[in-house]
Amino acid sequence: MSEGVEWALHTCVNLAWVGRPVGSARLAAFYGLPPAYLNKRLQNLVRAGILTSVPGPKGGFALARDPASISLLDVVTAIEGPDPAFRCTGILGDSPWGDKTADHPSTCAIAAAMRRAELAWRRELAGQTIADVCATVERRAPGEPERTRRWFG
Amino acid sequence: MSEGVEWALHTCVNLAWVGRPVGSARLAAFYGLPPAYLNKRLQNLVRAGILTSVPGPKGGFALARDPASISLLDVVTAIEGPDPAFRCTGILGDSPWGDKTADHPSTCAIAAAMRRAELAWRRELAGQTIADVCATVERRAPGEPERTRRWFG
């Protein structure tokens, strides 16, 4: 998984706290990230409907919806794409009695087992939201939202 | 995840049925795989204690232990390595009030959430063995073990 996932998740948490548009250079400066690379990841989040890009002098990136309706799976999928980690290429179809026309990703016992694991991973990520992460941090560090808002000015 | 995982899992199932050493060229020929690449993956399985490499004219690769004690996680880890898919680089330590010396992979709420998903994935893969896959295939195609043994001669 690319570093972009870590950047995107942390940036969504910051935007949830700040509550108004912030430019990508400022978002990048918070962690000392390369602005152009972060900007590309933020564009991925805009295309996925997680962020909006607000034009104008007070513009920037902002959450497009309630942080309680943005799951970690939404963010990971926006950055990494929807493909599963394990891709069945259907090598069973190339075996001596293989049927190349069969739908191996659906029928192969190995593909099914790998898919069950992938679903367990997705289910876990789908059950956790940006709001959940914010709440966890705020329990440990109640001043974090205010401190973050102040820094972003 | 690399194609090597698919190759390795299918090859372990075949070796469970064949029950004696088979050379990598013959194992590769079963699916029309590139023998040199498959051989590299099989060496990964030997290093992980999943296969043994038997020398001599009747030698080749064989399962090193009972297929019921080889989990899919064992095979995936042997090929892909033990690192989690999400790697926390600790960008929290680079924030304006970040502590670079803190153990962010252990304490960050985002790293923890990603780790829970990874554990769900690993748990699922650890709970399924090569013997389970063999049993699933045999329920649908009872002749598969014998047919495979015959092909490998």
Side-chain angles (χ1 to χ4, degrees):
Chain A
M1 208 178 289
S2 74
E3 282 184 331
V5 171
E6 184 183 18
W7 302 355
L9 289 167
H10 278 280
T11 297
C12 285
V13 167
N14 285 338
L15 286 174
W17 284 329
V18 172
R20 54 161 196 78
V22 182
S24 62
R26 191 81 181 137
L27 289 166
F30 191 80
Y31 296 117
L33 299 174
Y37 286 113
L38 179 64
N39 189 65
K40 277 191 185 175
R41 300 294 81 82
L42 300 182
Q43 297 291 354
N44 292 144
L45 298 182
V46 169
R47 273 191 289 278
I50 295 167
L51 300 185
T52 50
S53 177
V54 181
K58 293 218 156 190
F61 293 96
L63 292 188
R65 48 189 213 251
D66 192 294
S69 75
I70 302 171
S71 74
L72 303 195
L73 183 62
D74 292 337
V75 177
V76 171
T77 304
I79 302 294
E80 295 289 300
D83 292 342
F86 176 83
R87 201 171 69 83
C88 169
T89 69
I91 65 171
L92 267 189
D94 299 318
S95 79
W97 45 88
D99 175 2
K100 275 188 195 301
T101 68
D103 180 12
H104 294 291
S106 303
T107 57
C108 171
I110 287 172
M114 297 303 287
R115 193 165 50 243
R116 276 196 296 277
E118 184 99 12
L119 285 174
W121 181 78
R122 282 172 192 266
R123 202 177 303 124
E124 192 69 39
L125 287 183
Q128 304 179 68
T129 68
I130 294 296
D132 294 332
V133 173
C134 289
T136 302
V137 176
E138 290 167 30
R139 267 195 302 276
R140 286 189 230 152
E144 197 68 9
E146 180 53 28
R147 180 156 75 161
T148 304
R149 262 191 296 276
R150 262 209 313 271
W151 191 88
F152 281 104
Chain B
M1 209 178 288
S2 74
E3 282 183 331
V5 170
E6 185 183 17
W7 302 355
L9 288 168
H10 279 279
T11 298
C12 284
V13 167
N14 286 337
L15 286 175
W17 283 330
V18 173
R20 54 160 196 78
V22 182
S24 61
R26 191 81 180 136
L27 289 166
F30 190 80
Y31 295 116
L33 299 175
Y37 286 113
L38 178 65
N39 189 65
K40 278 190 185 178
R41 299 294 80 83
L42 300 182
Q43 296 292 353
N44 292 144
L45 298 182
V46 169
R47 274 191 288 278
I50 294 168
L51 300 185
T52 50
S53 177
V54 180
K58 294 217 155 191
F61 292 96
L63 293 188
R65 45 188 214 253
D66 192 295
S69 76
I70 302 171
S71 75
L72 303 195
L73 183 61
D74 292 336
V75 176
V76 172
T77 304
I79 302 294
E80 294 289 298
D83 292 343
F86 176 82
R87 202 172 68 84
C88 168
T89 68
I91 65 171
L92 268 189
D94 300 319
S95 80
W97 45 87
D99 174 2
K100 274 188 195 301
T101 67
D103 179 11
H104 294 290
S106 303
T107 58
C108 171
I110 287 172
M114 297 302 286
R115 193 165 50 242
R116 276 195 295 277
E118 184 100 13
L119 284 174
W121 181 78
R122 283 172 192 266
R123 203 177 302 123
E124 193 67 40
L125 288 183
Q128 303 179 69
T129 68
I130 294 298
D132 294 332
V133 173
C134 289
T136 301
V137 176
E138 290 167 30
R139 267 195 301 276
R140 286 189 229 152
E144 198 68 10
E146 179 53 29
R147 178 156 75 161
T148 304
R149 261 192 297 274
R150 264 207 313 271
W151 191 89
F152 281 104

